[in-house]
């Protein structure tokens, strides 16, 4: 099965899926350090051996950012990240000054394990329980073990080590043909598995051996994150720990200049990878049964964005998706909630291409055919608001019994 | 059991619960017209026989308001509402021009049944399925039957007729002692039962025989709705149909002047009634097991409100409440989400009086005692943000398997 499994994501032109192996200049590892009670892998390390590395990073906007996020912001050269160290099982969030000290120590230990003299070249990430001190003793042993285990094909071990309750690891390696040669693009993500007593955290790490200036790196990551991880909702909850990092070793010798066809092609590959990962995360969200895609068009950019968010976050829409119920009354309710004071609003709604509401009023349609269409694994909702010129999309998971079981029945 | 069952609502001074009977000047009825498939009562009528009635009304801010809400806004003298007609089983929402015509016809029919020459003295409300035309034939028969059944003690029948999937009817009659005599205050509400294929709708109708100017009526309703129905969340979803109406017959002969002790006392009674009804609705929300109250304090009014809303609407907080899990990591996550860009944020959190987080970091506490405390039917969360001067509260229901079952498993 192709990585690009969704009908909503076009496989990028000139890109082929590779069997594995990190891009030239990278090594990776994942080990079990005993931070997770399960004994599963919980410490991951990615190291770029090229001194000329360029990078870019994105973090959660939360007002209660975890200690690793704060340390990255304060103590890392974000455009030249050589190594990334990650632990799962403990988020090091709401841990105060001791937590900041632990995150900085984690950074220092990883620099040592990676053979780097400057800790500011190491980014840190943690995911798991909130409000519990990081167990530094097993973590130290784990980081040392990961350093010893670094391999050029360590990306699968790394992807396993960053999982929490994800049902499956999420990673891909692509070869992308550019005008001057072929570059490799790898990405590993963990998603919206819910961790007791924590919550959804998005982590994604991307490596390539293409050579990009820090500015190009920053630009491409900004644009593609906006179109992927900022266009998805599992339960509308912003994490304390979300982190996305792109590292470029340049070791392929293939340089990507701004505003070239190569930049476009590489950008399209990166875009498709991040969008498919976002979809995979929504699919994996709390044992989700189905994933929805809402497309909203209209003349007011802010209104279009608010409507998409309101539909994707509505527990009523999500439970209908779970139930395989073409309940468009809940769609129009969410639209109205997102646009207060605009009644009467001539909104059009289509589900799986079937028009159900036009000008704000119901449209007679084949209810049985629609009911069959929404039983599929992917369900599309289209909403047209007054005016033209803006369009947005959002992927979202359903809300079912598994979400309740994971988040309520298994308590601390 | 007293109507004022919650520890969070003080029974108002000088008020006693009456056995029943509408305030002087009012008659009410509820009948089964066959709009609901179940055959349960589905048409309600409240009529004030006093020509000098004063009133005030509040409606949903939704951009997709139902036809009855639009008709009320366009065609009703909202400060002199003589009669209220309500049907359950069909929301008359997303029904376009035909729906507007049906709502106006419903208004005209109710005026006839109430013996009123002017339809603009009649307010209308509908709750139930969205996007399906109102069945006018049974509705007409139902309104005529309700007119024939009007009684001075018809409030219980009326309260039954406005239910959808509410587990229990919500109504109260109070006698309130004022300086010049005793006035009666009755209220009937329906709440956040989810209706397939509709959603939560709040309706509340309040009657008194006190004499209030339209201005006083408006002022008291505005203030008390802000402190009650705007301070609750079942699933964060704004309905197309929310309607609250206060009618004052003046038939007690007891007048309430602005800025008097009587106004204060009557206002406190109205406030307690609406807050307890709001709590009852949250308790009844989708078979909720527990209800939470979040109190937020701080120096920024908008931030305080956003944090309360984020906590009350978080599916992670709601599932923890359902599971009896003192999961404060989910509280601090919601706080951070509501206040992006403010990290590090020195927030304090207490659950049931137990401090769990101070200055943004965990506080050692007796986890077992806290775990026991959150098993109760009502759980209180206190959040202190930086600064002083603003405080808000919000009631919210939990999120459990019953919500999924009601909203997903029973499909259209």
């Amino acid at each position: 099965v192709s990585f690009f499994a969704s009908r909503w994501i076009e496989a990028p032109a000139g890109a082929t899926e590779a069997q594995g192996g990190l891009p030239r200049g990278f090594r990776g590892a994942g080990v079990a350090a005993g931070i997770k009670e399960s004994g599963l892998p919980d410490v991951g390390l990615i190291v770029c051996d090229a001194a000329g590395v360029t990078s870019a990073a994105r973090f959660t906007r939360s007002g209660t950012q975890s200690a690793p996020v704060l340390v990255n912001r304060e103590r890392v050269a974000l455009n030249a990240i050589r190594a990334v160290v990650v632990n799962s099982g403990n988020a090091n969030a709401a841990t105060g000054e001791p937590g900041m000290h632990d995150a900085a120590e984690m950074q220092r230990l990883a620099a040592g394990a990676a053979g780097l003299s400057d800790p500011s070249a190491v980014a840190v990430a943690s995911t798991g329980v909130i409000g519990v001190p990081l167990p530094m003793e097993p973590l130290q042993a784990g980081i040392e073990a990961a350093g010893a285990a670094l391999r050029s094909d360590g990306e699968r071990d790394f992807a396993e080590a960053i999982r929490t309750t994800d049902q499956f690891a999420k990673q891909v390696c692509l070869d992308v043909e550019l005008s001057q040669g072929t570059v490799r693009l790898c990405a590993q993500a963990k998603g919206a598995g819910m961790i007791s007593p924590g919550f959804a955290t998005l982590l994604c790490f991307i490596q390539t051996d293409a050579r990009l200036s820090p500015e190009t790196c920053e630009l491409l990551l900004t644009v593609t994150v906006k179109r992927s991880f900022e266009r998805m909702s599992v339960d509308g909850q912003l994490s304390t720990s979300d982190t996305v990092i792109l590292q470029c070793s340049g070791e392929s010798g293939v340089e990507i200049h701004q505003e070239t066809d190569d930049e476009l092609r590489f950008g399209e590959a990166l875009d498709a990878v991040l969008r498919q990962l976002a979809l995979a995360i929504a699919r994996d969200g709390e044992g989700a049964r189905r994933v929805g895609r809402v497309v909203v068009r209209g003349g007011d950019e802010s209104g279009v964005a608010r409507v998409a968010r309101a539909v994707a976050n509505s527990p009523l829409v999500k439970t209908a998706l779970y139930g395989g119920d073409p309940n468009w009354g809940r769609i129009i309710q969410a639209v109205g909630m997102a646009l207060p004071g605009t009644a009467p609003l001539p909104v059009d709604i289509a589900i799986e291409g079937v028009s159900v509401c036009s000008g704000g009023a119901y449209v007679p349609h084949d209810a049985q055919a629609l009911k069959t269409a929404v039983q599929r694994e992917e369900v599309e909702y289209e909403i047209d608001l007054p005016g033209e010129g803006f369009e947005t999309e959002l992927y979202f998971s359903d809300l079912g019994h598994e979400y309740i079981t994971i988040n309520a029945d298994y308590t601390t």
Side-chain angles (χ1 to χ4, degrees), chain A:
Chain A
V1 181
S2 162
F3 171 74
F4 299 103
S6 171
R7 62 175 157 138
W8 294 319
I9 315 285
E10 207 177 334
T16 51
E17 288 180 46
Q19 286 297 324
L22 285 159
R24 282 160 281 191
F26 288 96
R27 292 178 296 151
V31 300
I35 299 170
K36 284 179 181 164
E37 278 185 29
S38 64
L40 290 169
D42 48 17
V43 172
L45 186 62
I46 292 278
V47 177
C48 178
D49 295 313
V53 67
T54 59
S55 66
R58 284 284 166 281
F59 303 105
T60 177
R61 296 178 305 277
S62 171
T64 53
Q65 288 170 331
S66 65
V69 170
L70 291 168
V71 162
N72 286 337
R73 287 176 51 197
E74 292 172 14
R75 301 191 184 200
V76 174
L78 294 175
N79 62 358
I81 297 171
R82 287 286 295 273
V84 175
V85 63
V86 188
N87 76 276
S88 55
N90 186 310
N92 194 8
T95 43
E97 273 307 313
M100 293 293 288
H101 180 268
D102 288 347
E105 177 66 6
M106 183 171 166
Q107 184 189 34
R108 197 187 61 77
L109 290 167
L116 299 170
S117 57
D118 183 1
S120 78
V122 181
V124 289
S126 299
T127 174
V129 52
I130 287 179
V132 173
L134 206 53
M136 292 307 291
E137 218 168 298
L139 182 63
Q140 173 166 1
I143 292 172
E144 286 166 7
L150 285 167
R151 293 201 324 238
S152 64
D153 61 349
E155 78 277 2
R156 283 173 199 273
D157 291 343
F158 177 81
E160 288 293 333
I162 66 174
R163 282 172 68 178
T164 48
T165 57
D166 302 61
Q167 300 271 323
F168 49 92
K170 296 160 194 74
Q171 62 95 32
V172 67
C173 291
L174 286 189
D175 284 326
V176 186
E177 285 173 47
L178 301 178
S179 63
Q180 305 299 314
T182 299
V183 300
R184 179 155 288 190
L185 176 64
C186 291
Q188 308 84 34
K190 72 147 302 240
M194 311 303 289
I195 31 174
S196 177
F199 50 87
T201 295
L202 163 74
L203 299 180
C204 182
F205 305 97
I206 313 143
Q207 307 84 28
T208 182
D209 49 17
R211 183 183 305 278
L212 278 73
S213 72
E215 295 72 29
T216 306
C217 193
E218 175 75 21
L219 177 75
L220 287 179
L221 190 65
T222 301
V223 171
T224 53
V225 165
K226 273 206 177 118
R227 284 171 46 86
S228 56
F229 300 128
E230 293 188 9
R231 289 277 168 277
M232 57 176 285
S233 169
V234 170
D235 52 12
Q237 297 304 299
L238 181 69
S239 151
T240 56
S241 310
D242 296 335
T243 298
V244 181
I245 291 174
L246 167 63
Q247 294 173 279
C248 314
S249 71
E251 293 290 292
S252 67
V254 176
E255 184 151 3
I256 298 177
H257 296 282
Q258 277 196 25
E259 300 185 22
T260 59
D261 283 348
D262 281 350
E263 187 197 33
L264 186 65
R265 177 163 285 196
F266 183 81
E268 283 175 352
L270 182 62
D271 182 65
V273 163
L274 298 199
R275 289 174 70 214
Q276 181 66 51
L277 285 172
L279 250 174
I281 287 169
R283 272 309 294 276
D284 195 4
E286 310 93 51
R289 192 186 280 178
R290 294 192 180 84
V291 62
R293 178 195 192 219
V294 58
V295 179
V296 187
R297 303 178 196 96
D300 169 23
E301 186 170 18
S302 155
V304 161
R306 276 180 289 136
V307 164
R309 199 61 68 176
V311 169
N313 285 342
S314 161
L316 296 174
V317 173
K318 284 170 176 295
T319 47
L321 178 62
Y322 177 79
D325 183 5
N327 196 321
W328 66 271
R330 297 178 180 181
I331 304 280
I332 199 167
Q333 174 265 325
V335 171
M337 175 173 164
L339 300 173
T342 61
L345 187 72
V347 58
D348 300 343
I349 301 173
I351 301 177
E352 283 294 310
V354 178
S355 171
V356 294
C357 181
S358 175
Y362 64 94
V363 173
H365 58 270
D366 183 343
Q368 194 50 50
L370 183 59
K371 172 101 188 168
T372 303
V374 300
Q375 306 295 320
R376 296 182 197 134
E377 290 195 349
E378 295 182 343
V379 178
E380 181 159 278
Y381 307 84
E382 288 170 277
I383 300 170
D384 282 281
L385 302 172
E388 286 178 16
F390 296 99
E391 174 172 333
T392 195
E393 66 174 353
L394 212 57
Y395 302 114
F396 60 100
S397 53
D398 62 15
L399 172 58
H401 285 290
E402 296 80 0
Y403 184 95
I404 306 297
T405 300
I406 292 171
N407 288 294
D409 296 354
Y410 301 141
T411 60
T412 49

